[in-house]
Amino acid sequence: MSTANMIGQLASGMLATCEIFVLTLVFSLPLGLLVAFGRMSKIKPLQFITKLYISIMRGTPLMLQLLVVYFGPYYLFGIKLSTGYRFTATIIGFAINYAAYFAEIYRSGIQSIPYGQWEAAKVLGYTKNQTFFKIIFPQMVKRVLPSVTNEVITLVKDTSLAFVLAYAEMFTIAKQIAAAQTTMMPLFVAGLFYYIFNLLVAGVMEYLEKRMSYYQ
Amino acid sequence: MNLLEINHLKKSFENLDVLHDISLSVKEGEVVAIIGPSGSGKSTLLRCATMLEKMDEGELVYLGKYAVKNGENGKAVYAPQKELKEIQGYFGLVFQNFNLFPHYSVLKNIMDAPIHVQKREKEEVLQEARSLLKKMGLEDKETYYPCQLSGGQQQRVAIARALALNPSILFFDEPTSALDPELTGEILKVIRQLAEEKMTMVIVTHEMAFARDVADRVIFMDGGYIVEEGNPKEVMEHPKEERTKQFLARFSS
């Protein structure tokens, strides 16, 4: 197999990896906010459920969670799903796992905002929604950005776990080629790909941090 | 007419009684200073009056409208949310530690609530914000962010922010306690100016000389009670109560 051929095959895997990455963030970043609300809610049962959810998501391997999301519907409820569900299951698995981590990051961010900000907004007549979205949320984003960067970088590498559902993301393909051709080259290329991907992620996040550094 | 009326206010935290039966009224144009040692309940009184803290018993009335009434069981009952929202607009509060919004520029700090809470025209609000900044001596600072300003400047922005909503009564919770003596002077000057313009104000303060000069009435609190109140010169120079004498003795030297 020529190097060009190999790169070509890997490239299709890279696209799949990017897809997992982007879709996971699209779903887990907002979902995490909802979970954080539940976790901070005054309604005890809601608080308990979200706490349990976070505890399970953080306390069990992501690989296992992916398997449960994929095989669960059949083995637990007897629902037969097409093989197309493979991709959906991957995204659901990643999104609900990352949402739990993001929720805790958001919570720490929200709770680090001085209470005086809420009080000032209340006295000025802002509604609770206005206070959260105009006053608290932007300050929270600034504070949690470094922690979110950590998670996002981890996600880039975690996408390789999609192999358990035999979803053909890049690392799965790299391993297949490496085994068939008995060469380390594809794995090396894969490593380089993850590294460059994360370099980009770190660059973007640094840019965002800089953009928000106009205030303290 | 009384802009503010507080009747038989009681408040406790857990089992600690912080305010016992406080009654207080403030007339239009009046400047009331509340003095007293730490832990006397002055700030809690202000926080109950501005509805940041829920009162246990008593009544709270702004411009004749009841925010809190005594219920049948003697417990405080708050008016429906919609009425409270309206009453909220009657007063403003200036905090000890400013509580400006750090991600908003000076101008946005002042303009945002009038535009998004009171739904006023942006142009009109901008003009008013600019004239308030001028009054505060900050006309060249409108694009600055709070972290770029001194404590005294931040507090003046906070006062402008409160005034931009055109409140009928303005509360100050130890407005100079986070500032050094020089910056304290800046703020006192601004409050003095507001007093001359007949702004109705209730000021919790540790600045005794200021309270005596600016206030129309001074209230001395201790242990959750109003111990003495009246004309500032009388209360501060010839206090009747032993506790007031004790407290004031520390300042006259």
Side-chain angles (χ1 to χ4, degrees):
Chain A
M1 182 190 259
S2 68
T3 313
N5 199 336
M6 180 191 80
I7 302 234
Q9 283 195 32
L10 284 176
S12 75
M14 286 175 197
L15 202 66
T17 296
C18 292
E19 247 176 346
I20 299 175
F21 174 79
V22 171
L23 287 174
T24 301
L25 288 184
V26 164
F27 292 114
S28 64
L29 285 170
L31 183 60
L33 197 57
L34 285 180
V35 178
F37 287 148
R39 179 72 180 77
M40 290 184 295
S41 164
K42 283 184 190 126
I43 307 162
K44 285 277 173 211
L46 189 60
Q47 206 187 81
F48 175 77
I49 290 167
T50 42
K51 224 169 147 175
L52 183 71
Y53 165 75
I54 291 168
S55 146
I56 292 171
M57 287 300 145
R58 296 202 302 182
T60 60
L62 174 53
M63 197 190 285
L64 178 65
Q65 291 164 19
L66 287 169
L67 290 171
V68 169
V69 172
Y70 186 55
F71 294 111
Y74 180 73
Y75 287 105
L76 295 175
F77 309 108
I79 303 165
K80 278 192 187 136
L81 291 157
S82 70
T83 46
Y85 178 59
R86 209 181 286 280
F87 180 66
T88 316
T90 308
I91 301 302
I92 294 175
F94 273 105
I96 60 173
N97 177 278
Y98 272 80
Y101 284 94
F102 286 136
E104 286 295 270
I105 292 173
Y106 294 156
R107 182 170 69 95
S108 73
I110 292 167
Q111 288 175 344
S112 76
I113 308 290
Y115 200 64
Q117 294 285 306
W118 290 94
E119 292 190 335
K122 180 169 190 273
V123 172
L124 291 170
Y126 288 100
T127 62
K128 280 225 168 76
N129 274 338
Q130 281 178 323
T131 306
F132 184 78
F133 288 105
K134 293 173 74 83
I135 311 297
I136 306 299
F137 185 74
Q139 296 186 59
M140 183 275 281
V141 169
K142 179 183 163 80
R143 286 178 191 219
V144 301
L145 219 49
S147 314
V148 168
T149 305
N150 261 340
E151 283 308 312
V152 174
I153 284 176
T154 307
L155 172 63
V156 170
K157 295 174 287 178
D158 272 357
T159 52
S160 61
L161 286 172
F163 84 89
V164 291
L165 302 189
Y167 184 70
E169 48 67 56
M170 194 206 39
F171 199 65
T172 312
I173 295 171
K175 277 196 303 183
Q176 281 164 359
I177 304 173
Q181 313 279 321
T182 54
T183 166
M184 288 290 284
M185 199 54 190
L187 297 180
F188 177 75
V189 174
L192 200 65
F193 167 75
Y194 286 120
Y195 183 73
I196 292 170
F197 197 154
N198 271 330
L199 224 49
L200 274 168
V201 168
V204 169
M205 297 308 266
E206 202 183 313
Y207 168 75
L208 290 177
E209 271 183 55
K210 274 217 183 92
R211 270 199 49 179
M212 280 184 246
S213 65
Y214 65 88
Y215 71 92
Q216 272 159 9
Chain B
M1 179 167 115
N2 284 337
L3 286 191
L4 165 67
E5 221 173 286
I6 295 173
N7 301 319
H8 306 292
L9 160 59
K10 283 183 192 170
K11 171 75 187 169
S12 59
F13 292 111
E14 310 280 303
N15 292 320
L16 182 72
D17 292 337
V18 185
L19 296 173
H20 314 264
D21 197 25
I22 300 280
S23 294
L24 161 76
S25 59
V26 180
K27 285 192 202 61
E28 192 165 359
E30 205 178 14
V31 178
V32 178
I34 304 178
I35 60 170
S38 297
S40 57
K42 333 181 271 304
S43 282
T44 307
L45 172 60
L46 216 61
R47 291 173 60 81
C48 284
T50 50
M51 303 195 280
L52 288 176
E53 211 73 71
K54 270 211 150 80
M55 43 202 273
D56 299 332
E57 290 175 42
E59 292 179 329
L60 178 64
V61 193
Y62 279 97
L63 287 83
K65 292 201 175 102
Y66 280 83
V68 185
K69 258 187 181 151
N70 252 332
E72 280 173 14
N73 56 358
K75 295 286 166 215
V77 179
Y78 279 76
Q81 203 59 43
K82 213 179 149 199
E83 284 169 46
L84 289 182
K85 202 93 216 156
E86 194 194 333
I87 291 169
Q88 189 94 52
Y90 296 160
F91 61 81
L93 170 63
V94 175
F95 295 86
Q96 180 178 342
N97 49 1
F98 333 131
N99 288 333
L100 290 175
F101 303 133
H103 57 308
Y104 284 177
S105 69
V106 164
L107 204 56
K108 189 154 172 140
N109 260 288
I110 298 171
M111 290 174 60
D112 199 68
I115 293 172
H116 293 105
V117 174
Q118 294 181 329
K119 315 280 182 207
R120 280 158 55 193
E121 280 299 317
K122 202 174 165 187
E123 264 316 300
E124 174 213 334
V125 174
L126 178 65
Q127 275 179 14
E128 194 182 341
R130 290 216 162 112
S131 82
L132 278 168
L133 278 174
K134 194 158 181 222
K135 195 163 150 188
M136 298 294 150
L138 295 168
E139 58 267 55
D140 54 339
K141 298 280 190 273
E142 57 178 56
T143 58
Y144 283 51
Y145 285 87
C147 62
Q148 297 169 301
L149 302 177
S150 74
Q153 291 169 332
Q154 289 189 47
Q155 191 61 301
R156 280 181 280 158
V157 174
I159 294 171
R161 179 175 72 171
L163 288 172
L165 290 164
N166 297 314
S168 305
I169 178 167
L170 192 52
F171 293 96
F172 292 82
D173 188 7
E174 301 192 24
T176 61
S177 294
L179 303 174
D180 67 41
E182 205 174 348
L183 299 180
T184 296
E186 292 179 10
I187 299 306
L188 298 186
K189 211 178 108 192
V190 167
I191 299 176
R192 204 180 292 259
Q193 192 189 341
L194 290 174
E196 278 161 17
E197 293 167 11
K198 291 290 161 208
M199 180 79 206
T200 313
M201 293 184 282
V202 177
I203 309 164
V204 168
T205 185
H206 289 296
E207 298 291 327
M208 294 304 146
F210 173 74
R212 191 184 53 212
D213 294 350
V214 174
D216 299 309
R217 184 151 54 101
V218 70
I219 293 176
F220 173 65
M221 282 183 72
D222 187 39
Y225 293 96
I226 291 180
V227 177
E228 197 166 345
E229 73 176 299
N231 179 295
K233 290 203 173 57
E234 242 158 67
V235 172
M236 298 178 86
E237 280 159 27
H238 310 288
K240 291 190 190 74
E241 301 292 328
E242 201 48 45
R243 186 65 188 94
T244 320
K245 282 179 198 166
Q246 251 177 28
F247 177 74
L248 291 170
R250 285 182 290 145
F251 294 95
S252 57
S253 53

